[in-house]
Amino acid sequence: MKLTTTILAGAGLASAAVPHPRPVLGRMSLSKRWDYDVCSNDCSLRNVPMPDKNNFGLPLEGYWSEQCPPLVVGAYDSPDASAVVTWKVKGVVGEPSTWTQPPPTTNLVCDDEFKCKLPFSDILGVPSTTPLRDLMAGMCPLNDREAFIFYLQLSGVVEPVGGGPAVPFVQQYPCTSRNGDRQCLAWDTSYPYIEMAYRCSKCEVAACPSSTSTPPPPPSSTPPPPSSTSAPPASSTTSSTTTSAPPAVKTCGLGTAFGYISPASSTTLDTLSGQGCKRWGWYSSPTLSDLQSGISGILYVGAGGNDISKAVNVGTWSATATTTGKVTVTYNLSPGYTLSEAHVNLKCLSAITKCSPGQYTYKADGLNNLSTLSTTQLNYPSCGSGEVGLIVHGAVNVLTTAPTCDALKAS
């Protein structure tokens, strides 16, 4: 399996681990690479500092620098898989006063090709329409030198080509020892996340032809905080400009969501004999050991007939258990989607006599458009030789500027 994690190019199971003590390091130097141009020969960006996509440092490994650090534990051929990167900006390299505490908190769902893309605008918390120069100024707070550190967690599941149960994977742990060939010999498995830093380099492209106006000099400081935005540029054909209020955002119901892992780990609800179970949706049967290691999946809305090709991927879910069998399920909605209801059923399969969410073990109704939610701790049931059934359900809204709301997806 090859995973492309594009952290800074338009680029884990969330953990509740206690943060590790952080070493306070002085200014660390991430060397610039000179064998390529960071701005693809765009003369309008001449001398503008931009994130150096081929130069990453790993702070937990003494700022070990690699062009593309290994991120995945394991190697699998995968016909069907899912992956999630959980991320958080730690702060500026070498400036401990800017650092936040782990763990990472925001989920990014990778696409079907395992490409995980995190837009600059999402990192900075500004509109996607923000001009490129302003984005570059935000991503390069120290200009042509070191920039931000990220906390990252990567996790998911893959299905071996030969069949069998889905196999979970996590990111590569920080390396503690390497041989003369730069190969890692030992890892620190106590960290549930990694750290990755980058630097910015100036666009070294030639100046634009003289017939083109000279671009303004690069920004020398970080742009205004995300809460403030500049007015749009004046029109080139009028002597005055007017600005209109942004379109109003309203909440529309999208539909019912069910948690899904993979064909091998998810069973359709209509195989159960309980009242109201003859509908679309899935359950899984994790062991306590599975939950103690952590499981995760995708939240799908509108998969009528259990056809995922019809569904909308609205985020992810995960479930973990303590050594004493206390289970927590966490919902993480993708940007633009929110939760209005959350229901989790965790019972012995033989005890699931109804599939109505109102009969589930955990019920949270009337939620105020939450983007993330963790349940209270649920008891892992003792089922003897029988299996456990875990159903993750929710009611999802979509935030839209459309004049009217669309009809609900299959519910």
Side-chain angles (χ1 to χ4, degrees):
M1 177 189 72
K2 181 179 180 181
L3 178 70
T4 301
T5 306
T6 314
I7 302 299
L8 298 175
L13 200 56
S15 170
V18 176
H20 287 252
R22 310 304 310 135
V24 177
L25 302 174
R27 170 69 62 201
M28 304 303 298
S29 177
L30 296 177
S31 299
K32 177 180 178 179
R33 296 182 185 272
W34 295 92
D35 57 349
Y36 68 97
D37 181 33
V38 298
C39 55
S40 302
N41 294 320
D42 184 344
C43 66
S44 69
L45 298 175
R46 175 177 168 81
N47 289 329
V48 174
M50 306 183 76
D52 193 329
K53 64 184 178 182
N54 284 343
N55 188 355
F56 292 100
L58 305 177
L60 295 181
E61 299 181 31
Y63 283 83
W64 175 272
S65 182
E66 290 193 28
Q67 179 173 337
C68 185
L71 293 181
V72 178
V73 175
Y76 313 102
D77 292 323
S78 170
D80 189 8
S82 62
V84 175
V85 174
T86 309
W87 66 276
K88 180 180 181 181
V89 176
K90 176 180 178 179
V92 178
V93 173
E95 296 191 1
S97 63
T98 68
W99 291 356
T100 62
Q101 290 296 311
T105 53
T106 304
N107 278 1
L108 171 69
V109 179
C110 307
D111 66 20
D112 293 340
E113 296 181 356
F114 269 24
K115 293 180 180 179
C116 317
K117 297 183 180 181
L118 178 57
F120 296 135
S121 56
D122 287 1
I123 295 171
L124 298 173
V126 298
S128 59
T129 54
T130 299
L132 180 59
R133 284 175 168 270
D134 290 342
L135 290 176
M136 295 304 96
M139 293 300 300
C140 301
L142 302 179
N143 215 318
D144 182 20
R145 57 182 300 175
E146 297 78 18
F148 289 123
I149 308 172
F150 288 84
Y151 296 117
L152 298 172
Q153 286 176 304
L154 176 65
S155 69
V157 293
V158 294
E159 289 189 33
V161 169
V167 181
F169 67 84
V170 296
Q171 83 279 336
Q172 184 78 291
Y173 296 106
C175 183
T176 59
S177 175
R178 296 181 186 272
N179 63 17
D181 295 326
R182 299 169 60 93
Q183 294 177 326
C184 190
L185 303 177
W187 296 265
D188 184 349
T189 59
S190 66
Y191 281 92
Y193 58 88
I194 62 172
E195 294 184 11
M196 183 178 289
Y198 69 96
R199 68 156 287 151
C200 291
S201 300
K202 286 184 178 179
C203 174
E204 301 288 350
V205 69
C208 292
S210 57
S211 59
T212 304
S213 60
T214 303
S220 58
S221 61
T222 305
S227 59
S228 63
T229 57
S230 58
S235 167
S236 60
T237 59
T238 61
S239 58
S240 63
T241 60
T242 59
T243 58
S244 58
V249 176
K250 64 173 175 290
T251 300
C252 293
L254 183 67
T256 293
F258 279 98
Y260 176 84
I261 301 176
S262 69
S265 299
S266 300
T267 305
T268 58
L269 290 179
D270 58 15
T271 60
L272 299 175
S273 59
Q275 179 182 343
C277 295
K278 301 305 178 184
R279 54 156 303 139
W280 79 270
W282 306 275
Y283 72 88
S284 58
S285 296
T287 64
L288 180 56
S289 177
D290 291 336
L291 290 170
Q292 288 170 343
S293 297
I295 64 173
S296 62
I298 296 174
L299 289 169
Y300 281 120
V301 167
N306 298 302
D307 185 350
I308 292 177
S309 68
K310 300 177 182 178
V312 179
N313 180 336
V314 297
T316 62
W317 66 275
S318 59
T320 57
T322 65
T323 55
T324 57
K326 299 296 184 181
V327 178
T328 301
V329 176
T330 298
Y331 296 73
N332 280 291
L333 278 293
S334 299
Y337 301 109
T338 60
L339 272 177
S340 60
E341 299 176 7
H343 308 101
V344 175
N345 211 12
L346 182 60
K347 296 178 181 177
C348 299
L349 277 180
S350 60
I352 299 180
T353 58
K354 295 182 180 181
C355 287
S356 169
Q359 308 298 318
Y360 284 7
T361 315
Y362 172 86
K363 299 179 287 293
D365 298 318
L367 302 176
N368 188 22
N369 283 334
L370 299 182
S371 60
T372 184
L373 176 141
S374 292
T375 67
T376 54
Q377 289 189 327
L378 310 174
N379 292 321
Y380 187 85
S382 177
C383 304
S385 59
E387 290 186 315
V388 163
L390 172 63
I391 306 173
V392 179
H393 170 273
V396 175
N397 292 329
V398 61
L399 305 180
T400 180
T401 58
T404 59
C405 293
D406 294 333
L408 291 176
K409 304 291 184 183
S411 296

